[in-house]
Amino acid sequence: MLVSLTVGKVDAGVTVLLTPDKRLIEFPSILLPPNIVSGSIVDITVARNNESEAKAEARFNALQDQIFSSFGASQPSTPVLRCRNATQTSVVLEWDPIDLATADLISLSLYRNGQKAGNIPRPMHMHSTKISGLAVDTEYSFHLVLRTTAGAFASKQVVVRTHKMTDLSGVTITTGILPPSTREELAKAVERIGAKIVDGVRIDTTHFVTTEGRGVPWEKAVEMNIPVVRPEWVEACEKNGRILGVTKFYLDAPRANIQGPEEAQRTASPATPAQQSQKELPQTPSQAQESKEAAPKKEEEKKEESSEEDESEEEDSKDDEKAKAAEEQKVRIEDRETQKVALRPAQPSSPDKDTAGDAGEEENSEKGPEPSPGDGASFQDVAL
């Protein structure tokens, strides 16, 4: 296709060409022949290059296939969530490692009962979490949401119910330094209450039982804020048939706090033989007669002391009542005076009126408190 155009204005970068129907076309000056000036006529041939177009399209399709094979062949996997352990107030959740395929990670969030509980830190390395502070014997639902550059993927909901106080199956114990006999008895007691013992301190360890505060496992338990208790805690839970608090059974707690009545009697210092012999000796007739005569005197003394205490208490109460009445009367007089000052209209004061007012106030004070001017009237009737 041949087109004849007239050169209009020539600039360094763009030349204005005029069509036969007087239309303007801006054309690059570098593509025109040299020595072109205004008024020159140039012929431009326009044709479609199908061969080059086909080659460009082939290159573009090859690039699209390469991108799809590299980034679109696989997508991130949906998280798989499950419950690892549950206790009366906590739940331990775990999931499979996250597979992002060729996508980039944005966040991994945990939802509780449909509401976001928080983001999982370092989701490519952490595969479990512990949720504490839950209510006893309550049902909860959890699910994960994985957000990536390839989209969002939500796991299935996991429904968990916290245990009752009598259910000890969620108790997970890690043992520290224990005597061999104590360790055997502890293992039997744990089996009887339905709990379990695991090797090493883990995220689902609920209690660390030991008799000595040393060793690497003990340090790890302290670092993870796991209660460190003595073996007596397991025995107490078995006796009571329910989980107990650990405050009295901490490793550094005094043993006197966890002793029962029978143990306290056992550990009490035994009486000396002289004291036992004195307690077992019968009283002589003279001692018995003296004790009988002293009994009525002691009763009379007790009665007199109680009567004196009652009288002193009555006198104290009367004094308190008088003091309260005096304070109330003072408060009433002060309130009455403030009301008079607030309600009295602004008038020029005269010596006669002042003396008359003082005399009237003295009479009123002798007669007793009078009702305030605002009593029985609305707030609008009072002239301030």
Side-chain angles (χ1 to χ4, degrees):
M1 178 181 179
L2 182 63
V3 180
S4 296
L5 301 173
T6 303
V7 178
K9 182 181 178 181
V10 179
D11 287 336
V14 177
T15 299
V16 178
L17 303 179
L18 300 176
T19 61
D21 54 355
K22 307 303 180 183
R23 294 187 180 183
L24 301 178
I25 298 175
E26 292 182 349
F27 197 82
S29 300
I30 195 172
L31 298 179
L32 295 175
N35 302 324
I36 292 295
V37 296
S38 297
S40 301
I41 297 176
V42 293
D43 294 335
I44 299 176
T45 302
V46 179
R48 182 177 182 180
N49 192 340
N50 294 323
E51 184 179 356
S52 298
E53 185 178 343
K55 291 180 180 179
E57 185 177 0
R59 287 196 302 270
F60 178 77
N61 292 333
L63 178 61
Q64 292 292 325
D65 293 340
Q66 183 181 359
I67 293 173
F68 179 77
S69 61
S70 300
F71 301 99
S74 60
Q75 63 179 3
S77 60
T78 303
V80 179
L81 182 66
R82 54 185 174 271
C83 177
R84 181 172 178 175
N85 188 32
T87 63
Q88 283 72 16
T89 58
S90 64
V91 172
V92 177
L93 302 174
E94 64 179 3
W95 55 89
D96 295 337
I98 301 299
D99 183 12
L100 297 176
T102 56
D104 294 331
L105 175 66
I106 298 177
S107 65
L108 179 63
S109 305
L110 177 66
Y111 285 76
R112 180 176 69 185
N113 294 338
Q115 296 181 351
K116 186 177 179 179
N119 292 332
I120 304 298
R122 299 184 297 113
M124 300 303 297
H125 304 281
M126 289 185 60
H127 305 138
S128 62
T129 185
K130 184 176 183 178
I131 300 96
S132 303
L134 305 179
V136 179
D137 193 19
T138 306
E139 189 175 274
Y140 294 91
S141 63
F142 300 93
H143 73 277
L144 289 173
V145 175
L146 175 64
R147 292 181 175 85
T148 66
T149 54
F153 304 88
S155 68
K156 294 182 179 179
Q157 285 193 351
V158 176
V159 179
V160 183
R161 190 175 190 88
T162 54
H163 294 176
K164 298 180 179 180
M165 297 299 290
T166 55
D167 187 1
L168 302 178
S169 60
V171 177
T172 304
I173 296 174
T174 300
T175 58
I177 299 175
L178 293 172
S181 58
T182 305
R183 188 180 296 274
E184 293 178 2
E185 294 176 359
L186 177 65
K188 294 178 182 178
V190 168
E191 186 178 358
R192 287 194 297 267
I193 64 177
K196 54 183 175 292
I197 297 178
V198 296
D199 296 332
V201 180
R202 310 185 310 191
I203 189 173
D204 57 340
T205 299
T206 58
H207 299 82
F208 186 83
V209 180
T210 183
T211 55
E212 298 182 19
R214 57 188 178 88
V216 176
W218 172 77
E219 293 177 356
K220 188 175 181 181
V222 173
E223 182 181 356
M224 296 176 63
N225 294 324
I226 297 174
V228 180
V229 297
R230 291 193 290 265
E232 289 86 344
W233 177 78
V234 179
E235 298 175 1
C237 291
E238 183 181 7
K239 290 179 182 178
N240 289 270
R242 62 195 301 272
I243 191 168
L244 299 179
V246 297
T247 305
K248 298 180 180 180
F249 300 91
Y250 280 134
L251 186 62
D252 55 352
R255 289 184 176 272
N257 292 341
I258 62 173
Q259 288 181 352
E262 297 179 357
E263 294 178 356
Q265 291 179 0
R266 293 174 191 170
T267 56
S269 58
T272 59
Q275 292 176 351
Q276 292 179 357
S277 61
Q278 289 178 2
K279 291 179 181 179
E280 294 174 359
L281 290 176
Q283 293 181 350
T284 60
S286 60
Q287 291 177 350
Q289 186 175 359
E290 290 177 358
S291 61
K292 288 180 181 179
E293 293 176 355
K297 293 180 180 179
K298 290 181 179 179
E299 292 179 358
E300 292 178 359
E301 291 176 356
K302 289 181 180 178
K303 291 180 180 179
E304 291 177 357
E305 291 177 357
S306 60
S307 62
E308 290 177 357
E309 291 177 357
D310 295 338
E311 290 176 359
S312 62
E313 289 178 358
E314 291 178 359
E315 291 177 358
D316 295 339
S317 61
K318 289 180 181 179
D319 294 338
D320 294 339
E321 291 176 358
K322 290 179 181 179
K324 289 180 181 178
E327 290 178 359
E328 291 178 358
Q329 189 172 3
K330 289 180 182 178
V331 172
R332 290 176 183 172
I333 293 171
E334 291 175 358
D335 293 341
R336 185 174 69 254
E337 290 177 356
T338 54
Q339 290 176 359
K340 287 180 179 179
V341 172
L343 299 175
R344 187 183 297 125
Q347 293 179 358
S349 60
S350 63
D352 298 337
K353 291 182 180 181
D354 293 340
T355 55
D358 295 338
E361 288 180 1
E362 291 177 358
E363 291 176 0
N364 292 335
S365 62
E366 291 176 358
K367 291 179 181 180
E370 294 181 358
S372 63
D375 294 342
S378 65
F379 182 75
Q380 296 177 352
D381 297 335
V382 179
L384 296 177

